[in-house]
Amino acid sequence: VEAIEFTVAHDDGKRVEELPLAEIVLLGLSRVGKSPLSMYLSILGWKTANVPFVPSVPPPPELKLVSPHKIVGLIIEPAQLMAHRRYRASRTGIREEGYVDRVSVVEEMRAANHYFYSQGFHVVDTTDKPIETSAEEIISLITRRKVAT
C-alpha cells in the first residue's frame, strides 16, 4: 500500500523534490506508458515516480539527485506513439499538430534517446509489450545495477 500511495503522489512529475526517495524513476515522452507502468510496478511493491521528458524543457534539477541506476528511460516506436497520441487527442481535444505528426514524434524520440544514453540511464522499449513484460525488464535492470553498485 505504501508503494501505491507513493506512486500516485509522484505521478507525472509531481513532488519532484522527493524523487530521491523513489526506488524507480521512469522518464519518457508523453503517451509512452509511464503512468500505467508506474502503477503496475507499485502493485508489485516498488515506490515508483515518473517524470515526463519534454525535449524543449530541461528535466527537473532534482533528477540529478537520483542515482542513475534507479532511472529508466522509456522509448517506443514512433508509429505506435503516434497512434497513442492520436487516440488521446481525439478524446481530449488536444491539437494534433506538433503532437502527432511523424517528424515531431521522431525528433522527440531522438532527443529522448540522446538524453537517456548521455546520462547513462537504462532504456526499455515498450513497443508492443504488455506492461508485465516491461515491468520485468525494469526490475531486472534496477536489481542488477543495484547489486553491481
Side-chain angles (χ1 to χ4, degrees), residues 10-83:
H10 297 85
D11 183 46
D12 202 30
K14 293 180 195 150
R15 296 169 67 170
V16 291
E17 69 279 359
E18 297 176 359
L19 280 178
L21 301 175
E23 295 172 303
I24 300 172
V25 176
L26 301 180
L27 186 61
L29 298 171
S30 171
R31 309 319 305 161
V32 78
K34 298 179 301 295
S35 293
L37 191 48
S38 294
M39 287 309 301
Y40 184 78
L41 288 163
S42 77
I43 291 167
L44 297 177
W46 291 88
K47 292 180 183 175
T48 308
N50 75 71
V51 178
F53 180 83
V54 180
S56 60
V57 177
E62 293 85 355
L63 198 59
K64 293 283 187 193
L65 303 174
V66 179
S67 177
H69 86 270
K70 293 181 173 184
I71 302 173
V72 177
L74 300 179
I75 61 170
I76 191 169
E77 286 295 320
Q80 191 167 359
L81 182 57
M82 290 166 51

Side-chain angles (χ1 to χ4, degrees), residues 116-133:
F116 300 158
Y117 286 106
S118 72
Q119 299 302 307
F121 303 153
H122 271 297
V123 175
V124 169
D125 186 341
T126 62
T127 306
D128 292 328
K129 288 182 191 168
I131 288 175
E132 299 86 353
T133 302

